[in-house]
Amino acid sequence: MSGTSEGPTPRAGVSPGAAPSEVTQRDHQGFDLSELREYRAAFAAAALPMAVVDHLGRIVRPNDALGALLGTDPTSLTGRLAADLVGLTSDSTARQEYTEVLRGTRPRLRCARRLKHADGRPLWAEITVAPMGEPPADRAGRVLLTVADVSDRRELRERLRHLRMHDPVTRLPNRTLFFERLATALESAPPADGTASRHGRIGLCYLDIDGFKAVNDTLGHRTGDRLLAAVAGRLTDCAEADDHRTGGHLVARLGGDEFAILVDDSSGTHQLTELARSVLAALQRPFEVAGHRLSVSASIGVVERSSAGTSATALMQAADTTLYWAKADGRARWTLFDPERNAHRMTRQALSSTLRPAVDRGEFTLEYQPLVGMADEVVRGVEALVRWNHPRFGLLAPSRFVPIAEEDGTIVELGRWVLRTACRQARRWQLEHPDEPPLFISVNVAVRQVRDSDLVADVAEILAETGLDPGLLQLELTESAVMGSSGRPLRVLQALSDMGVRIAIDDFGTGYSNLAYLSRLPVSVLKLDGSFVRGFRYEDGAHPSPADETIVEAMVQLAHRLGLTVTAECVETSGQAERLRRIGCDTGQGWLYSRAVAPERIAELIGSRPPEG
């Protein structure tokens, strides 16, 4: 019937028809009291240390496990700030995130903290703070704090990290740990105001073992590994002996037979060089390894500089470069990083990387220095001297780039360009001055041009192309390149001579000086090295060297008896010219007559005597 009720409305928590014994008891907030008692009992008995924390960060209810962990009655923890008990205030990031969890703006905080157990032993704990669900309003902001002992897990992780960061052969820190420590040392440089006790400098001894490969190859890798371990021990001893000064030395094996000693608070260059000396002395003592008495040494690159403004990459590049210098200088030594030498190396690298394209870009030019008859001081010929008009470094003399070109083989292409350009210019002078005796052109030829290219074919092609008579071409080779020539080089020289080209020995008197070779080689000209000519000077107050004059006179007489002509280089004064003329030199070359000049200036000198100076 409408408007009538089927029975009384049941009270909250009571099912219709339920017996009184089945009525669930609830607290004033509606929570099942029996369930709450069960939860609290489980909370108190839990082995995991826990605490309920209110929105102000105070402990509301700790469990027994937390009290046992901290060595106190759990009831005494009520009301205390949880962050202080588990070290959340020592880290600004963790403190901020903890506050956000309390405010309900962050869902969870998890971090690791080093705590002390009640029995005094240290432990690593994983701290977790998370909201306790969505309780009624008067419980808003309460969070559950748990403290899990993860010491075993942490110890395992540290052991694995140690294995990953250390060399199994020497037990030294490996490359990974070395660079980690290096980065930390550079990041922790002291402030510039001078208030810190640290020096603010960093040092590195970077070394490898001279002779180690021979040990590995002859005695096997097992003996080699034992030697490396013995080397590591001596390096560690040296580092520890020096460590009392500043501390912070790290000895590491970077790979193979390469080691490093990092001094992350160097007191200066003197400390690093003394450390390098002690290492060198220690490693030069024989090693007794697996029944063998082994002698090795080390090459050491030493770098010391301010930590500020230094990167790990820059420091290691400097160390690697300096180690290379030590090995290039003779091994079994230490070498200190030299900024000036490094700048020269960097310039050399820059030149090397741009040398080959520069030939294609036409960045080279030729200047010409007159070769003057000593008897009448008339220009007989010119020597072609190449210059590099570098877009960054300006006009460069041959000494700056020719050695690089010889090393990387670019000299073949560059030499071919020089030869073609010089022959073309000599032919042009001849055509422009038909009434004057033609000038011969002298061109320098590198050893690699003789050995690595078909020089005979190149010369024949260029002479045919330019129309220059072979008798007007003189090719200059150094004495060390010509003396002792046999096989293909000798055949090349002979073929060029048969073609009518003159062969000159440059810088004669400074190489092998085996005069017996002169009778066997197709040589036409000897160019006396300038070191002999400089001994003839009176004008600068120095007394001329009688020995130099005697040697030059003997060489001139010998050359003439063999049918050779003689050119004196580096003639700078009229006194030198007079004495060389009296001795019998045929031609002279030097600043007395002219420096190397542009081709237009040579055109003005054809058929005339060059002005002195």
Side-chain angles (χ1 to χ4, degrees):
M1 180 184 297
S2 62
T4 63
S5 173
E6 297 183 0
T9 302
R11 293 181 294 110
V14 181
S15 301
S21 61
E22 296 176 337
V23 175
T24 301
Q25 294 183 323
R26 297 182 179 273
D27 66 5
H28 67 281
Q29 293 178 332
F31 279 83
D32 187 322
L33 293 177
S34 62
E35 289 184 3
L36 282 176
R37 283 193 292 269
E38 291 175 0
Y39 290 149
R40 287 172 180 171
F43 176 83
L48 180 65
M50 295 184 289
V52 177
V53 180
D54 67 14
H55 69 285
L56 297 177
R58 295 172 303 193
I59 293 178
V60 176
R61 182 176 292 109
N63 70 351
D64 293 345
L66 181 62
L69 175 71
L70 300 177
T72 185
D73 182 359
T75 59
S76 68
L77 300 176
T78 303
R80 298 182 61 179
L81 292 175
D84 292 340
L85 293 176
V86 294
L88 294 179
T89 57
S90 60
D91 182 342
S92 59
T93 301
R95 183 171 61 247
Q96 176 63 30
E97 293 178 356
Y98 174 63
T99 302
E100 292 173 0
V101 174
L102 293 179
R103 291 174 180 171
T105 59
R106 185 180 185 89
R108 178 184 296 267
L109 165 66
R110 177 173 290 160
C111 62
R113 283 292 177 273
R114 188 177 179 86
L115 305 178
K116 183 176 289 188
H117 198 276
D119 59 11
R121 62 183 172 88
L123 65 88
W124 278 98
E126 184 177 81
I127 310 298
T128 303
V129 182
M132 296 181 64
E134 298 179 355
D138 65 335
R139 293 198 181 189
R142 291 191 178 186
V143 298
L144 181 65
L145 167 74
T146 61
V147 184
D149 186 348
V150 294
S151 299
D152 292 342
R153 188 196 315 167
R154 183 90 178 197
E155 181 182 353
L156 176 60
R157 189 163 63 220
E158 288 297 325
R159 288 168 59 189
L160 292 175
R161 171 181 165 79
H162 185 275
L163 292 174
R164 185 171 59 87
M165 294 291 191
H166 287 75
D167 170 51
V169 174
T170 63
R171 302 185 184 277
L172 292 177
N174 61 14
R175 190 179 191 88
T176 301
L177 181 53
F178 170 80
F179 278 101
E180 187 177 285
R181 275 282 301 272
L182 175 57
T184 301
L186 293 174
E187 290 170 1
S188 60
D193 58 11
T195 57
S197 60
R198 290 170 54 85
H199 296 95
R201 301 189 67 81
I202 194 164
L204 180 63
C205 289
Y206 183 38
L207 62 138
D208 72 4
I209 309 304
D210 302 324
F212 176 73
K213 185 177 184 300
V215 173
N216 252 358
D217 292 345
T218 58
L219 301 178
H221 289 277
R222 179 173 296 181
T223 301
D225 287 350
R226 292 183 180 180
L227 175 60
L228 290 175
V231 167
R234 292 192 187 180
L235 293 179
T236 302
D237 291 343
C238 291
E240 290 177 351
D242 185 73
D243 208 12
H244 68 277
R245 305 183 188 185
T246 57
H249 292 21
L250 174 74
V251 182
R253 182 189 177 198
L254 302 188
D257 62 342
E258 295 181 356
F259 295 84
I261 303 178
L262 176 67
V263 181
D264 64 6
D265 187 24
S266 166
S267 61
T269 300
H270 179 72
Q271 180 188 3
L272 266 295
T273 55
E274 285 299 312
L275 177 58
R277 287 190 182 96
S278 68
V279 167
L280 198 61
L283 297 186
Q284 286 177 333
R285 299 196 307 270
F287 290 85
E288 299 291 340
V289 177
H292 301 281
R293 186 176 177 85
L294 304 177
S295 294
V296 296
S297 185
S299 298
I300 309 174
V302 181
V303 183
E304 202 279 342
R305 60 179 55 174
S306 171
S307 301
T310 297
S311 68
T313 300
L315 187 69
M316 291 308 299
Q317 284 178 342
D320 186 65
T321 296
T322 313
L323 174 58
Y324 172 80
W325 292 343
K327 299 181 80 67
D329 292 343
R331 302 192 176 196
R333 68 184 62 223
W334 60 268
T335 300
L336 182 65
F337 180 75
D338 181 355
E340 184 175 342
R341 185 175 180 180
N342 187 58
H344 177 75
R345 180 187 68 90
M346 296 296 289
T347 302
R348 183 182 176 88
Q349 288 180 342
L351 294 178
S352 178
S353 63
T354 57
L355 182 57
R356 195 175 297 275
V359 179
D360 299 329
R361 289 194 296 263
E363 294 179 2
F364 292 93
T365 186
L366 292 185
E367 292 183 345
Y368 303 88
Q369 188 171 30
L371 293 158
V372 178
M374 299 295 291
D376 55 11
E377 296 188 340
V378 172
V379 177
R380 306 291 186 186
V382 293
E383 179 181 354
L385 299 171
V386 64
R387 305 285 190 260
W388 185 358
N389 191 14
H390 196 280
R392 176 182 172 188
F393 300 112
L395 193 65
L396 302 179
S399 60
R400 295 289 302 277
F401 59 87
V402 167
I404 301 174
E406 290 178 339
E407 287 179 8
D408 66 11
T410 309
I411 193 66
V412 173
E413 183 181 357
L414 178 59
R416 191 178 291 120
W417 177 87
V418 170
L419 184 62
R420 176 174 283 105
T421 304
C423 289
R424 186 180 294 126
Q425 181 61 63
R427 179 60 174 162
R428 184 178 299 118
W429 285 324
Q430 184 180 10
L431 295 175
E432 291 174 353
H433 301 83
D435 298 331
E436 299 292 342
L439 299 180
F440 70 87
I441 187 80
S442 190
V443 178
N444 290 279
V445 175
V447 177
R448 290 194 70 159
Q449 289 177 262
V450 178
R451 295 178 178 173
D452 298 349
S453 69
D454 194 343
L455 183 61
V456 176
D458 289 342
V459 170
E461 177 186 335
I462 291 171
L463 290 177
E465 173 189 314
T466 60
L468 185 68
D469 186 273
L472 295 177
L473 176 60
Q474 175 174 293
L475 299 181
E476 296 187 19
L477 291 90
T478 61
E479 179 184 354
S480 57
V482 175
M483 293 303 182
S485 292
S486 60
R488 185 172 184 273
L490 180 57
R491 290 194 297 271
V492 169
L493 296 180
Q494 188 62 59
L496 291 169
S497 178
D498 293 343
M499 192 186 300
V501 174
R502 292 193 291 181
I503 306 298
I505 300 179
D506 194 15
D507 300 329
F508 186 78
T510 61
Y512 294 104
S513 299
N514 191 337
L515 301 180
Y517 278 102
L518 292 178
S519 62
R520 296 170 45 194
L521 295 172
V523 175
S524 304
V525 181
L526 296 185
K527 295 189 71 176
L528 299 180
D529 184 70
S531 60
F532 294 109
V533 178
R534 293 189 189 98
F536 285 22
R537 295 190 66 162
Y538 278 108
E539 289 81 351
D540 57 5
H543 295 288
S545 169
D548 283 344
E549 185 170 346
T550 301
I551 292 172
V552 170
E553 185 174 5
M555 287 192 293
V556 170
Q557 290 177 0
L558 175 61
H560 285 168
R561 288 181 181 178
L562 293 173
L564 309 179
T565 60
V566 179
T567 298
E569 298 180 303
C570 300
V571 182
E572 298 177 355
T573 69
S574 57
Q576 289 174 323
E578 176 59 32
R579 296 172 71 80
L580 290 167
R581 186 182 303 113
R582 190 165 61 246
I583 287 172
C585 284
D586 301 288
T587 55
Q589 177 182 3
W591 290 358
L592 173 66
Y593 307 113
S594 175
R595 297 173 182 260
V597 294
E600 296 79 14
R601 181 70 183 112
I602 295 296
E604 299 172 6
L605 299 177
I606 293 177
S608 65
R609 298 172 59 178
E612 292 189 2

